[in-house]
Amino acid sequence: MDSISTKNATVFFNSEVYTALNNYLKTDKPSKIFILVDTNTHDYCLPAFLERIESGDIVIEVMEIPNGEDHKTIDICTGVWEALSEYNADRKSLLINLGGGVVTDLGGFVASTYMRGIAYINIPTTLLAMVDASVGGKTGVDLGALKNQIGIINEGVMVGVDTSYLDTLPQNEMVSGFAEMLKHGLIYDKTYWNTLTHLEKLDISDLDQLIYDSIIIKNEVVTSDPTEKGLRKILNFGHTLGHAIESYFLENADKTPLLHGEAIAIGMLLESYLSTKICGLSQEEFEIISSGILKTFSKVEINKNDQKVIIGLLQYDKKNSYGVVKFVLLEAIGKPKTDCVVHNDLILEAFDYYAH
Ligand code: NAD
């Protein structure tokens, strides 16, 4: 598979990942290599990664953080910054983030801020991180329940997508990543959406090309608007309500936390409903979207009380300006519209539709 050039980096695939990475190490000669993993990628991905990396006499240090979204925090960053400092990381050090979106978001942020910025490379090991989180330079952590509230946009020097890491990924995590692929179809490419929703099952053998196509879509959007002044906002389709739902389920002790993609799938369904009321999305396409999402994602109970709190959380959405909540909605599949304002009554109506 050909590599993909982003604004400041290159995305390599499968065996090319290690050729490119080893060339980089030879030519750039980092002073030290730091590899950030979480509990799972330490066990499932690090051994294979270490076998393929040719570091010569450059020292490698491995730093491990606990797995899961509730560890995407500034406290964990502090621990990683301190470890870098203790191991004498300097401005020529390289951080390699080997993990899912939590590791790539947090590691990217740590690298972008340590000594005002050191080089980093993302090696995504979940489907979600391959198709979305590792590409585009958005880095950051959560602030309490508020998703990605602290962060910076800064691309690493390289992304290496080796789909063999997916062999150990649990099925529910595969499904979570699939949500972001569906999003790419909905906002950009109806043919891609059709291909995804006609798949019999999520089989790794079909996935290489589909992952590649998703990265192409994300990269086209990001390169045309790296700092999210305009078009890049479309990548937030499903995320206005999705992030609020994810935050609410993460913080509420009575709820089982949802995976990121599971929350985004609910957000996309609700926001598609809103699109029929506000942006002229046809009923026919809405039904197609609804059945396409529900084919993979079962419904989750969100009661009236939950709905009110979730709507309250929308005030923290990063797309808001002057206190007004701005949605990305759809005029049609593949035709998003940004900066849509939606009355809360309509959001409650969307939740009612979802509940039945
Ligand atoms: P994650 O990083 O928590 O990974 C999911 C789980 O899979 C974790 O328990 C992890 O330890 C485990 N895991 C990872 N690789 C594995 C492997 N190969 N085998 C077995 N287990 C493995 O979550 P995620 O779904 O990858 O990413 C979600 C995060 O990505 C969220 O924080 C979200 O905000 C962020 N995100 C960022 C962007 C962006 O543009 N920066 C885009 C989308 C999502």
Side-chain angles (χ1 to χ4, degrees), residues 107-179:
F109 179 63
V110 164
S112 304
T113 45
Y114 181 78
M115 289 191 169
R116 301 207 175 89
I118 61 171
Y120 76 91
I121 288 176
N122 283 337
I123 309 287
T125 61
T126 63
L127 181 59
L128 191 138
M130 288 178 190
V131 298
D132 202 348
S134 67
V135 181
K138 276 194 182 178
T139 73
V141 292
D142 303 335
L143 182 65
L146 303 177
K147 288 274 310 164
N148 304 329
Q149 206 73 359
I150 308 298
I152 184 166
I153 297 181
N154 175 42
E155 270 197 280
V157 292
M158 186 188 298
V159 179
V161 177
D162 175 353
T163 54
S164 70
Y165 290 119
L166 297 177
D167 291 348
T168 55
L169 194 69
Q171 183 61 16
N172 63 337
E173 297 289 353
M174 289 292 285
V175 166
S176 174
F178 193 62

Side-chain angles (χ1 to χ4, degrees), residues 38 40 67 69 72 101-102 105 125-126 138 147 165 168:
D38 72 15
N40 289 319
N67 68 298
E69 183 70 31
K72 202 174 113 176
V102 168
D105 273 14
T125 61
T126 63
K138 276 194 182 178
K147 288 274 310 164
Y165 290 119
T168 55

Side-chain angles (χ1 to χ4, degrees), residues 117-349:
I118 61 171
Y120 76 91
I121 288 176
N122 283 337
I123 309 287
T125 61
T126 63
L127 181 59
L128 191 138
M130 288 178 190
V131 298
D132 202 348
S134 67
V135 181
K138 276 194 182 178
T139 73
V141 292
D142 303 335
L143 182 65
L146 303 177
K147 288 274 310 164
N148 304 329
Q149 206 73 359
I150 308 298
I152 184 166
I153 297 181
N154 175 42
E155 270 197 280
V157 292
M158 186 188 298
V159 179
V161 177
D162 175 353
T163 54
S164 70
Y165 290 119
L166 297 177
D167 291 348
T168 55
L169 194 69
Q171 183 61 16
N172 63 337
E173 297 289 353
M174 289 292 285
V175 166
S176 174
F178 193 62
E180 300 284 14
M181 299 168 79
L182 289 175
K183 178 194 76 181
H184 289 146
L186 287 175
I187 58 169
Y188 208 75
D189 185 344
K190 190 172 180 178
T191 311
Y192 183 59
W193 159 267
N194 285 337
T195 309
L196 293 174
T197 50
H198 285 89
L199 287 175
E200 287 298 319
K201 64 181 175 66
L202 263 186
D203 192 326
I204 290 187
S205 57
D206 302 325
L207 271 179
D208 277 22
Q209 186 59 44
L210 296 170
I211 289 170
Y212 189 87
D213 294 344
S214 239
I215 296 172
I216 293 274
I217 292 174
K218 173 146 189 191
N219 188 42
E220 279 182 18
V221 174
V222 171
T223 32
S224 71
D225 175 24
T227 52
E228 200 166 301
K229 299 277 185 298
L231 184 73
R232 186 169 183 168
K233 290 182 193 168
I234 68 173
L235 292 167
N236 293 300
F237 173 65
H239 283 60
T240 308
L241 280 161
H243 270 160
I245 292 167
E246 186 183 2
S247 293
Y248 178 68
F249 275 70
L250 199 62
E251 269 310 272
N252 194 315
D254 300 334
K255 302 277 176 194
T256 310
L258 295 169
L259 297 179
H260 179 71
E262 292 169 341
I264 297 314
I266 303 171
M268 289 194 293
L269 193 42
L270 295 171
E271 293 177 16
S272 297
Y273 180 90
L274 299 175
S275 302
T276 62
K277 303 291 170 184
I278 289 184
C279 288
L281 177 71
S282 71
Q283 197 57 33
E284 188 195 347
E285 283 210 326
F286 173 64
E287 298 295 341
I288 292 171
I289 295 172
S290 175
S291 61
I293 292 173
L294 294 175
K295 183 176 165 191
T296 309
F297 296 89
S298 356
K299 284 197 176 175
V300 173
E301 194 195 329
I302 303 176
N303 65 35
K304 291 272 176 215
N305 183 51
D306 302 334
Q307 294 169 18
K308 282 202 196 101
V309 187
I310 290 165
I311 289 175
L313 285 170
L314 295 178
Q315 65 178 300
Y316 300 106
D317 191 86
K318 290 185 293 305
K319 295 183 302 310
N320 298 351
S321 42
Y322 306 102
V324 179
V325 181
K326 307 268 181 68
F327 282 80
V328 178
L329 298 179
L330 297 176
E331 291 172 338
I333 296 176
K335 276 187 116 190
K337 183 163 190 258
T338 57
D339 298 324
C340 303
V341 178
V342 180
H343 199 278
N344 283 353
D345 288 347
L346 208 50
I347 303 176
L348 289 169
E349 195 182 304

